Amino acid sequence: MTSSFGFVALFLCSLWVVGSSCEQPFEPVRENERHFFSINGYLDVSADTQWVRVMPVRETIGLSPGLPVPVVALEHLQSGQLGTMRDSLFRYAGNRYAYIFWSTMQILPGERYRISVTDSAGRNSYAEVTLPQDFPVPQFSEPEFGADILTIRQVERLADVQVVYRILYDETGKTVEVSFPFLQQSVFIPPSTYRVSINPDFGRSMIREMYCGITVTERNVFVASGGPEWVDFFSLDRHTIALPEGVSNIENGVGYFGGILSKTFPYVNSEGDRGLFQVPCPS
């Protein structure tokens, strides 16, 4: 779940501009009669908790912590199961606030769900999403040109690939996770296979530059497939993403709501290398 939440944080940060613009008037919807809420996030079949950022459309990023909280409902459309997502208020730098709603509803592969946001005045924004089907655990094959090759099968839309290092600080005993994305190093082989080239030395060298006196205790791979509505954000112009309706699938609102199925597994390449190492501090 930790890697999945890290992906959530990265995903939400990448969409922060949708529905707000850095303390400047929100020009595209100044006369706002049809964009009520920004909804940014996704459902993950493999996660035990779902996280979605929901905010009223407004002129600035800032949000008063005393603002009324909308009702956010999550519905499984095939069965009619309906649940209310709970809110958590997050504070960011500069005393900015945002609501992150969460739910422990079980999310099923291949099924369709709707998220609906309603305020006390009856204004409503919603979106529907279909989750992808399950796929086999990806496998490493023989390295090519110094890169480990990860083969992902039975996936039509690849949403994310990350290598995640768990780091133990020698002095404190605390652990942190550091991840590196490799989605852009993927090649699609029709009809439903991806090959991802991963430089095994990239993460090691980056960690050595950032830390000393630490030990890498785990190295995992996080892979996520996207549902039918998943958008390839890396292929889009950033100005298109920033437009209120550039990639939005939110009715009566802005933002993007997707569906993924993720797998996290140990990074052990075909040569048995687990990538665990220590970084001593200079004497």
Side-chain angles (χ1 to χ4, degrees):
M1 176 183 162
T2 306
S3 296
S4 180
F5 184 75
F7 180 44
V8 172
L10 178 64
F11 180 83
L12 297 186
C13 283
S14 70
L15 293 178
W16 181 271
V17 293
V18 180
S20 62
S21 62
C22 305
E23 295 299 341
Q24 299 297 320
F26 190 14
E27 297 289 342
V29 290
R30 179 181 296 171
E31 297 178 1
N32 182 29
E33 297 179 352
R34 61 190 181 94
H35 297 88
F36 304 134
F37 293 95
S38 67
I39 303 174
N40 291 308
Y42 61 88
L43 302 179
D44 183 358
V45 173
S46 307
D48 56 12
T49 305
Q50 311 300 322
W51 304 84
V52 182
R53 178 180 179 270
V54 176
M55 297 288 289
V57 170
R58 61 209 185 283
E59 292 186 351
T60 61
I61 288 179
L63 171 67
S64 168
L67 203 67
V69 182
V71 175
V72 180
L74 184 60
E75 181 181 3
H76 179 217
L77 294 179
Q78 280 87 340
S79 68
Q81 178 188 4
L82 183 65
T84 301
M85 302 188 75
R86 302 179 64 178
D87 66 280
S88 296
L89 183 64
F90 282 66
R91 187 176 72 175
Y92 299 90
N95 287 325
R96 298 188 178 118
Y97 295 85
Y99 283 115
I100 307 295
F101 287 80
W102 59 276
S103 172
T104 56
M105 177 186 289
Q106 183 182 13
I107 304 301
L108 302 175
E111 300 290 271
R112 192 163 180 82
Y113 292 81
R114 174 190 290 146
I115 188 171
S116 178
V117 183
T118 308
D119 64 11
S120 58
R123 298 183 301 176
N124 174 262
S125 301
Y126 66 94
E128 296 183 3
V129 65
T130 303
L131 277 295
Q133 297 290 348
D134 199 0
F135 60 94
V137 175
Q139 301 291 327
F140 281 99
S141 57
E142 292 297 322
E144 296 180 2
F145 305 105
D148 292 330
I149 305 301
L150 182 68
T151 302
I152 308 168
R153 295 184 172 87
Q154 298 180 30
V155 168
E156 295 183 4
R157 299 165 189 83
L158 188 61
D160 193 31
V161 178
Q162 295 184 29
V163 176
V164 184
Y165 292 82
R166 179 168 290 276
I167 295 174
L168 171 66
Y169 282 90
D170 292 338
E171 296 180 356
T172 65
K174 295 181 179 179
T175 61
V176 296
E177 286 189 349
V178 180
S179 62
F180 302 97
F182 286 92
L183 180 62
Q184 291 182 292
Q185 277 67 54
S186 64
V187 175
F188 179 60
I189 303 174
S192 59
T193 298
Y194 285 85
R195 283 166 52 90
V196 185
S197 299
I198 300 177
N199 183 345
D201 294 325
F202 177 77
R204 298 174 186 176
S205 60
M206 293 294 292
I207 291 174
R208 288 191 176 100
E209 291 181 8
M210 295 186 294
Y211 303 98
C212 76
I214 58 92
T215 299
V216 174
T217 61
E218 290 182 40
R219 183 176 65 160
N220 295 315
V221 181
F222 175 84
V223 174
S225 66
E229 300 92 353
W230 188 262
V231 174
D232 181 8
F233 290 95
F234 285 104
S235 67
L236 298 178
D237 178 82
R238 62 185 180 89
H239 299 293
T240 301
I241 297 176
L243 292 173
E245 297 178 345
V247 294
S248 179
N249 63 344
I250 310 299
E251 296 293 334
N252 303 325
V254 295
Y256 179 77
F257 184 64
I260 70 168
L261 190 153
S262 68
K263 292 185 182 292
T264 301
F265 52 94
Y267 185 137
V268 183
N269 65 11
S270 62
E271 298 177 347
D273 178 20
R274 293 182 176 272
L276 309 183
F277 61 93
Q278 293 181 330
V279 181
C281 290
S283 58

